[in-house]
Amino acid sequence: MSVDTAATVAERFEELYGAEPEGVWAAPGRVNLIGEHTDYNDGFVMPFALPHTAVAAVSRRTDGMLRLHSADVEGGAVRLRVDDLAPESDRNWTAYPSGVVWALRQAGHTVTGADIHLASTVPAGAGLSSSAALEVVVALALNDLYELGLRGWQLARLCQRAENIYVGAPVGIMDQTASACCEPGNALFLDTRDLSQRQIPFDLAAEGMRLLVVDTRVKHSHSEGEYGKRRAGCEKGAALLGVDALRDVAYDELDAALARLGDDEEVRRLVRHVVTEDRRVEQVVALLESGDTCAIGPVLTAGHASLRDDFRISCPELDLVVDTALATGALGARMTGGGFGGSAIVLAEAADVETVTKSVESAFAAAGFTAPRVFEAVPAAGARRVR
């Protein structure tokens, strides 16, 4: 994020509220390299932060008022009373920042109001965690201004609570933790059960490779029913198998576990995806740490097949990205994010990037789909104060 962006957000804040902000903060969106729909099953994930960020200029208030404005939404500032904030009372974009204020206060932290101006370059609806970026940037700003002393993983937990309860979306912990805790040049190996973290060096350019994000422009919404159905199905599978979460089903015991589920084919599919996906995360970590980065390609592709066939959350546009990229020389490809649209990632040799990109764009045009947005993903910094 450039210095100019922080200055622009600060200037707009002053125009809106008549005084300079006390500070400006940024929090990134994320790409998940591998580990999809494992976070709410206490499993493993491996995201990294994008250069695309939500930026917030913020000042404290002492009168119990919360004023929210976004450069990305038409209209003036929205005024709310912090004492009136209540779960699922807001179906607009303001639910994300106001939900964070609610969650902080519910946890016993003194937040007496704020003036907030936001601007974001994280593509909304692309499966790149635009909502988590909004939540985390507000949480970090209020943590700093009110001197709450919370660490990144604690802010992530509060932001997840805001989205689960206040917004009403049953998301896991990955997106908020990635936004809060990722480091530049690394992917974050996160155990979502105990929130232990390991930064895994991920410098594709040094090895002559690139990771492309292909935003299909197909919008998705987690708070609508299909995501919740998958989560409920996973919880049913864990209950039937007598474990706390599907994380507890060992890969080597998967066949026996599936046999115990009998003829409940839907639950069998969900369980198979989660258990094999946790295994794939561990495989990618081992390959990256051993320096065999090229070999993660087939693991990514296997992850897409599992999401498509077992979890059944892909769509024609995502499948077309993956199939076209692989047919034109990509090392691996898969959908990323919650599914039903959003983005795919493509691992390719640097020399093949232009060919793969043009092939995907041509395939979309031939299919009559909206032209995709394609950009290179380079691991960036997590949430931080920028002014």
Side-chain angles (χ1 to χ4, degrees), residues 2-3 31 121 123 183 246 257 261 279 315:
S2 69
V3 174
V31 162
T121 58
E183 295 181 4
L246 294 183
L261 292 171
R279 174 75 163 197
C315 66

Side-chain angles (χ1 to χ4, degrees), residues 96-359:
Y96 297 100
S98 62
V100 169
V101 175
W102 172 84
L104 285 167
R105 287 166 56 85
Q106 283 283 304
H109 301 293
T110 301
V111 177
T112 55
D115 286 336
I116 300 174
H117 171 60
L118 292 150
S120 180
T121 58
V122 185
L128 303 175
S129 297
S130 57
S131 59
L134 279 183
E135 293 157 357
V136 170
V137 75
V138 170
L140 180 62
L142 296 175
N143 182 56
D144 287 355
L145 291 175
Y146 282 98
E147 299 180 341
L148 304 179
L150 299 171
R151 298 173 63 186
W153 67 269
Q154 293 171 306
L155 293 176
R157 276 282 194 221
L158 285 164
C159 290
Q160 182 199 18
R161 179 172 168 79
E163 192 156 353
N164 286 170
I165 298 174
Y166 195 91
V167 178
V171 299
I173 190 63
M174 174 181 67
D175 296 351
Q176 291 84 1
T177 306
S179 187
C181 300
C182 279
E183 295 181 4
N186 290 271
L188 178 69
F189 177 37
L190 173 67
D191 181 335
T192 66
R193 170 163 282 171
D194 61 12
L195 295 190
S196 59
Q197 306 174 15
R198 198 154 90 238
Q199 301 288 342
I200 308 294
F202 190 55
D203 184 0
L204 291 177
E207 302 186 57
M209 286 175 280
R210 301 288 188 271
L211 190 77
L212 302 177
V213 175
V214 182
D215 176 4
T216 65
R217 311 275 186 161
V218 177
K219 302 299 183 184
H220 69 175
S221 175
H222 279 169
S223 52
E224 293 176 3
E226 293 301 322
Y227 183 100
K229 288 179 185 175
R230 300 309 187 277
R231 182 165 185 163
C234 290
E235 291 169 353
K236 179 181 178 182
L240 289 171
L241 293 170
V243 294
D244 290 336
L246 294 183
R247 147 75 173 276
D248 297 311
V249 180
Y251 177 78
D252 292 342
E253 298 170 6
L254 176 58
D255 288 344
L258 294 176
R260 287 169 56 200
L261 292 171
D263 58 1
D264 192 334
E265 185 55 33
E266 182 177 0
V267 172
R268 285 166 55 90
R269 285 191 287 99
L270 297 177
V271 170
R272 183 165 53 228
H273 166 73
V274 173
V275 175
T276 58
E277 186 78 347
D278 273 335
R279 174 75 163 197
R280 283 185 284 271
V281 178
E282 294 178 305
Q283 288 176 320
V284 168
V285 171
L287 290 167
L288 291 178
E289 291 189 326
S290 69
D292 195 6
T293 305
C294 190
I296 73 172
V299 185
L300 302 184
T301 303
H304 183 77
S306 183
L307 289 162
R308 180 192 65 211
D309 300 336
D310 278 343
F311 230 66
R312 299 191 180 181
I313 57 171
S314 190
C315 66
E317 291 86 351
L318 289 167
D319 293 340
L320 184 60
V321 174
V322 172
D323 294 345
T324 304
L326 294 173
T328 50
L331 300 170
R334 74 172 191 91
M335 59 154 286
T336 187
F340 312 106
S343 298
I345 55 174
V346 177
L347 180 68
E349 299 282 359
D352 294 331
V353 164
E354 185 175 355
T355 300
V356 169
T357 300
K358 288 182 177 178
S359 297

